């Protein structure tokens, strides 16, 4: 499969400070709240909850935190009702950006996301304005360890329904159709593979090279501000940024 590797970006996220990691846990807690509301607190019968738990573990979220989030979400009287929202727009340089948010206040989130785009020379678009430039895929990233049998992993993934596997110097990227993600993830998990990342993502079909340093800095600032906003759970884009460059 062609496309930009996400592994370098995952490495950067994993190197964040404890404060930043706390933000990630808060965001995942909101996702847990939403899937528990829709499908119940039992992972055995709620496949979306199983997927979010796998995402939480890949982000080193302690099991106590995960269970606390599930209990809180299934309890009464929390007063918060979370919904998932998606935004599309452009960063400077014609870079397409997709934003996934989980919020209890639609107006607050929309206003802040628009402000972030405007402040950094971007523009928030309408639904569908850039979505066609991305493919919705499941992506499972597994660290490449000495002695790991690449062919065995590929056969396990493909037999479970994966579409493709990309081999990097230090990781394996397993791609699936969104509907097959849970089955493939669970099969690999049962086979003993540990995930560096496991989630459905918007993968850009093509990437945009950035011509100058000033534009690059504006794009990075916009993406950082979106990532720092508590309501935002994921940010996808098609820019070729330094930390995401890969050798083919």
């Amino acid at each position: 499969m062609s496309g930009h590797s996400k592994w370098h970006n995952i490495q950067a996220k994993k190197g964040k400070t404890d404060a930043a990691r706390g933000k990630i846990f808060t965001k995942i807690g909101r996702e847990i709240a939403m899937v528990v509301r829709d499908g119940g607190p039992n992972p055995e019968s709620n496949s979306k909850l199983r997927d979010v738990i796998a995402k939480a573990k890949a982000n080193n979220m302690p099991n106590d935190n995960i269970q606390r989030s599930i209990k809180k979400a299934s309890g009464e009287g929390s007063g918060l009702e979370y919904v998932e929202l998606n935004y599309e727009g452009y960063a400077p340089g014609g870079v397409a950006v997709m934003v996934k948010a989980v919020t209890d206040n639609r107006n607050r989130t929309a206003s802040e996301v628009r402000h972030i785009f405007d402040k950094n020379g971007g523009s928030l678009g309408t639904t569908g304005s850039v979505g066609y430039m991305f493919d919705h895929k499941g992506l499972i990233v597994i660290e490449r360890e000495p002695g790991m049998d690449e062919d065995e992993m590929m056969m396990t993934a493909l037999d479970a329904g994966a579409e493709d596997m990309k081999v990097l110097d230090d990781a394996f990227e397993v791609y699936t159709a969104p509907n097959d993600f849970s089955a493939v993830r669970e099969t690999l998990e049962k086979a003993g593979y540990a995930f560096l990342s496991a989630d459905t993502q918007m993968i850009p079909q093509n990437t945009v090279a950035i011509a100058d340093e000033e534009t690059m800095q504006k794009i990075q600032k916009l993406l950082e501000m979106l990532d720092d906003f508590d309501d935002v759970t994921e940010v996808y884009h098609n820019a070729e940024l330094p930390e995401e460059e890969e050798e083919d």
Side-chain angles (χ1 to χ4, degrees):
M1 167 183 262
S2 63
H4 231 46
S5 167
K6 294 295 173 187
W7 167 229
H8 297 288
N9 199 34
I10 292 164
Q11 281 179 310
K13 285 185 176 181
K14 285 186 173 293
K16 288 189 173 182
T17 64
D18 289 343
R21 191 176 298 279
K23 271 182 172 287
I24 293 172
F25 294 169
T26 298
K27 294 179 180 191
I28 294 175
R30 291 187 178 193
E31 292 188 74
I32 289 174
M34 195 173 62
V35 298
V36 167
R37 180 201 66 193
D38 294 341
N42 186 355
E44 294 297 321
S45 57
N46 187 343
S47 63
K48 288 186 177 180
L49 177 56
R50 293 199 300 272
D51 290 341
V52 177
I53 290 173
K55 177 180 178 179
K57 289 180 177 178
N59 279 278
N60 298 320
M61 186 172 180
N63 192 57
D64 286 349
N65 293 43
I66 295 171
Q67 295 305 318
R68 191 159 52 244
S69 294
I70 293 173
K71 288 178 181 178
K72 182 178 178 181
S74 58
E76 305 249 337
S78 67
L80 296 178
E81 193 73 17
Y82 290 109
V83 295
E84 184 174 289
L85 301 174
N86 296 288
Y87 302 94
E88 302 179 30
Y90 283 97
V95 169
V97 181
M98 298 192 70
V99 181
K100 176 182 170 184
V102 175
T103 180
D104 62 328
N105 188 322
R106 292 170 180 264
N107 292 335
R108 176 194 68 218
T109 306
S111 176
E112 182 62 19
V113 169
R114 183 178 298 280
H115 169 71
I116 291 171
F117 271 90
D118 291 345
K119 183 175 182 179
N120 294 284
S123 60
L124 193 60
T126 56
T127 300
S129 58
V130 303
Y132 67 93
M133 302 181 192
F134 295 78
D135 292 322
H136 189 199
K137 298 288 183 183
L139 175 57
I140 300 163
V141 181
I142 298 170
E143 187 170 8
R144 190 173 184 178
E145 299 177 349
M148 190 175 281
D149 191 321
E150 177 184 323
D151 292 335
E152 181 181 342
M153 179 189 292
M154 181 175 288
M155 289 308 301
T156 300
L158 294 177
D159 287 346
E163 293 181 340
D164 195 11
M165 187 174 90
K166 191 171 186 178
V167 181
L168 307 178
D169 288 340
D170 49 7
F172 299 98
E173 294 180 341
V174 178
Y175 292 86
T176 78
N179 290 340
D180 296 328
F181 170 73
S182 294
V184 175
R185 181 192 61 72
E186 290 177 2
T187 297
L188 289 171
E189 191 174 51
K190 288 175 183 176
Y193 296 109
F195 307 140
L196 293 166
S197 172
D199 200 6
T200 56
Q201 302 196 12
M202 302 302 294
I203 309 293
Q205 297 167 356
N206 297 288
T207 55
V208 176
I210 310 305
D212 62 275
E213 184 64 27
E214 183 180 354
T215 302
M216 178 79 73
Q217 290 178 358
K218 288 181 179 178
I219 294 168
Q220 289 177 314
K221 183 63 175 176
L222 187 152
L223 297 175
E224 287 171 5
M225 288 184 68
L226 286 172
D227 196 46
D228 285 341
F229 182 30
D230 284 347
D231 293 357
V232 171
T233 56
E234 299 289 346
V235 180
Y236 308 107
H237 62 86
N238 64 352
E240 294 180 14
L241 300 182
E243 69 269 24
E244 292 185 330
E245 288 176 358
E246 71 181 86
E247 296 179 3
D248 294 317

